[in-house]
Every structure is written in structure tokens, then in C-alpha cells.
Amino acid sequence: AFSLQKNAESQKIYLMSSGFKVRITKLYRKTKNLYAVRIGYYNTEKEAEKVGNKIKSKLDLDTIVVKNK
């Protein structure tokens, strides 16, 4: 997550230009806002991890899988 929205927007554009469906989610943490760059909604954790591995190999970016409740 980014503390500056413009940095999150730059990351979003970079990922979109590589063919990923991207959104930014505003997170509230204690005294500041953070901007999380998120990709997809996937049916399984395995599917999400596969996309994360593709991002790592193609763009050299680290990812984490977030599970929705």
C-alpha cells in the first residue's frame, strides 16, 4: 500500500498497461490513509497465487493474496 494516492495511481497505470485489471482501495490505518493497489477477484487462492507469480516474473513486483470474508 502507498501513503500517497499519486504513487498508487502510477502503479495502477503500470499494471494496467501490462494487461491486469486493477483497482485502488483506500484503507484507514490509525492516523493516516493508505492506498492499496489490488488486482482481480479470483475464485480460488490458487488462481490468485498464479496471477501473483505472473506479476513477479513479468514485472518483478511482489504480491500478497488477500482473502475476502
Side-chain angles (χ1 to χ4, degrees), residues 20-31:
F20 297 99
K21 187 175 179 180
V22 185
R23 68 189 184 287
I24 295 174
T25 304
K26 191 174 185 179
L27 307 172
Y28 302 97
R29 297 291 184 255
K30 297 189 181 185
T31 60

